[in-house]
Amino acid sequence: MATATEPTSTATQRVPGRLGGRWIDDWRPEDVDFWDSTGKPVARRNLFFSVFSEHIGFSIWSLWSVMVLFLPEPVFGIDPAGKFLLTTLPTALGAFVRLPYTFAVAKFGGRNWTIISASLLLVPTIATAVVLEPGVSYTTLLVVSCLAGVGGGNFASSMTNINAFYPTRLKGWALGLNAGGGNLGVPVIQLVGLLVLATAGVEHPRIVLYVYIPFIVLAAVGAALLMDNLTTARNQPRAMREAAREGHTWILSFLYIGTFGSFIGFGFAFGQVLQNQFADDFATPLAAAQLTWLGPLLGSLIRPLGGSLADRFGGARITFWNFIAMAAGAAVVLVASQAESLPLFLLGFVLLFVLSGIGNGSTYKMIPAVFRTRAMDAVAAGTDPVAADRHALRTSGAVIGIAGAVGAFGGVLVNLAFRQSFLSTGSGDGAYLAFIAFYAVCVVVTWVVYLRPGSQVAGV
């Protein structure tokens, strides 16, 4: 059996039922001596390349939040409602593919699947470069924009993989850093789009795509050369069924709609919201692009802090107070919208982005914490500790995928809420009211299930 100090020694072995690549069979992150002497450097190396691949995936997933700025209505004939649909479809596909991407890690290995998932990003990138020109049909654009959803799946497989590498005491930090680095793909591609708009102009959207193709190749090659597969992350055929029967799976997924759904939904829609609600201030795509990147950038950078705060004070406590603050932030946006105050509007939205980033980290920390608590209760009742730990890891990995998928559908709901609100009233006020109500429900759910005295998982 190979050990963690020999990750390449199994590369040429033929193990039944296992694909080729770098495999580690002995992985014990909860063993402090093992972690300090062997596990930490291996985990950090895999974390680095996982973050890079996921970062590029997020950029391609949010590609059309940038591409719509290169589609002036007089040239392409697409109205604001049509542009909201172009950003909604990749959000939906990205949410859908997160489930199979989660279990692809168990099937193929984390390293092997990172190579595949990174390579798949070439499909929407090249397809968009081929079709995006005046005269292209709207149906073609819808199909091609939908392909960008494959980038959303990278998050689920990356998080599941990193969850297996790190000990429970560091999962909040590791998952927060992994997700935050990935989330940065949203503002980075918006900054690339801004640079292209400012230099080459609205007629040259292909430059954005040409910038990303070599980075996609680099992500796949880097994974092939320097990442590892963990045997302990395999053999989970019943994990999805077990997770689906867990009530906490759906409660945590609901909460993640409020955090990640807000982040990705606002990230995709913010530029269009500015152009529609403050048309005089953002008459050109360049004007809107100058601001759209700021909120996603701050929300991405602060996500690891949410995980670290959850490690220290408990994910449920941070999530509870964070949802209260998000409701207040949405109220600020609503007041600013009705007063037509652009500075207050921007302040409220930046606050929402920051809080959604903190909530993303704290909510995801809750997932392994809940099932670790359940495992400790099972051990106290007589269950074998090794079996309990394995069940907790298997289940939490599955829940990470389910919650990531359901949370991403929250981004679809955000875009649909904006689309309907602007169609019905000409402003986003209806959507802002819906956001306030939803965050209030999340506050109540978090308290009742995870903070109320007497709860079996209180304080996770």
Side-chain angles (χ1 to χ4, degrees), residues 321-393:
W321 288 107
N322 195 71
F323 275 126
I324 293 176
M326 289 184 73
V332 170
V333 172
L334 176 62
V335 170
S337 173
Q338 294 177 341
E340 299 183 356
S341 171
L342 178 59
L344 187 61
F345 188 83
L346 293 174
L347 175 64
F349 251 110
V350 168
L351 181 62
L352 282 174
F353 273 112
V354 170
L355 292 170
S356 67
I358 293 174
N360 285 339
S362 64
T363 305
Y364 245 57
K365 163 63 178 178
M366 291 171 65
I367 296 174
V370 165
F371 293 100
R372 178 67 176 170
T373 299
R374 298 284 296 275
M376 292 171 65
D377 291 342
V379 170
T383 302
D384 176 66
V386 174
D389 283 343
R390 287 178 178 173
H391 181 268
L393 177 62

Side-chain angles (χ1 to χ4, degrees), residues 140-173:
T140 300
L141 290 181
L142 288 176
V143 172
V144 173
S145 71
C146 193
L147 293 176
V150 297
N154 289 33
F155 172 86
S157 56
S158 178
M159 293 292 276
T160 300
N161 188 39
I162 294 305
N163 182 58
F165 271 99
Y166 276 82
T168 301
R169 67 185 183 279
L170 297 176
K171 285 185 189 293
W173 173 84

Side-chain angles (χ1 to χ4, degrees), residues 27-278:
W27 191 252
R28 293 170 279 116
E30 302 296 344
D31 183 330
V32 176
D33 292 335
F34 174 89
W35 176 256
D36 290 338
S37 63
T38 301
K40 186 186 299 184
V42 175
R44 284 183 173 176
R45 171 165 45 79
N46 280 271
L47 175 61
F48 176 84
F49 284 96
S50 176
V51 168
F52 181 69
S53 177
E54 186 191 342
H55 174 94
I56 302 300
F58 260 96
S59 289
I60 300 307
W61 189 23
S62 55
L63 173 66
W64 281 86
S65 69
V66 174
M67 289 296 103
V68 293
L69 300 177
F70 290 87
L71 304 178
E73 188 171 347
V75 178
F76 286 86
I78 304 174
D79 62 14
K83 291 181 180 180
F84 272 119
L85 191 57
L86 284 171
T87 58
T88 300
L89 287 181
T91 313
L93 180 64
F96 177 77
V97 300
R98 284 186 167 196
L99 291 178
Y101 269 55
T102 297
F103 291 95
V105 172
K107 178 68 175 178
F108 300 101
R111 165 196 175 270
N112 295 346
W113 185 250
T114 302
I115 299 170
I116 297 170
S117 61
S119 301
L120 285 174
L121 299 175
L122 290 170
V123 176
T125 308
I126 294 174
T128 303
V130 170
V131 307
L132 194 58
E133 59 184 18
V136 63
S137 72
Y138 182 60
T139 301
T140 300
L141 290 181
L142 288 176
V143 172
V144 173
S145 71
C146 193
L147 293 176
V150 297
N154 289 33
F155 172 86
S157 56
S158 178
M159 293 292 276
T160 300
N161 188 39
I162 294 305
N163 182 58
F165 271 99
Y166 276 82
T168 301
R169 67 185 183 279
L170 297 176
K171 285 185 189 293
W173 173 84
L175 294 175
L177 185 62
N178 187 60
N183 291 171
L184 277 172
V186 179
V188 168
I189 195 171
Q190 291 174 346
L191 284 170
V192 172
L194 170 61
L195 181 61
V196 173
L197 283 169
T199 55
V202 73
E203 299 85 6
H204 299 283
R206 286 186 176 87
I207 295 177
V208 177
L209 305 167
Y210 296 154
V211 166
Y212 271 89
I213 289 174
F215 285 107
I216 294 172
V217 174
L218 181 60
V221 173
L225 295 177
L226 294 166
M227 289 187 71
D228 305 293
N229 303 302
L230 290 182
T231 304
T232 53
R234 289 179 56 81
N235 302 321
Q236 304 179 45
R238 296 185 301 276
M240 177 69 79
R241 292 195 297 272
E242 292 174 356
R245 289 195 293 266
E246 282 279 358
H248 290 291
T249 298
W250 305 108
I251 297 170
L252 291 165
S253 298
F254 178 80
L255 297 178
Y256 202 54
I257 289 176
T259 57
F260 182 75
S262 296
F263 173 83
I264 200 66
F266 295 156
F268 279 36
F270 190 41
Q272 298 179 74
V273 170
L274 288 177
Q275 284 192 294
N276 288 319
Q277 190 135 1
F278 295 92

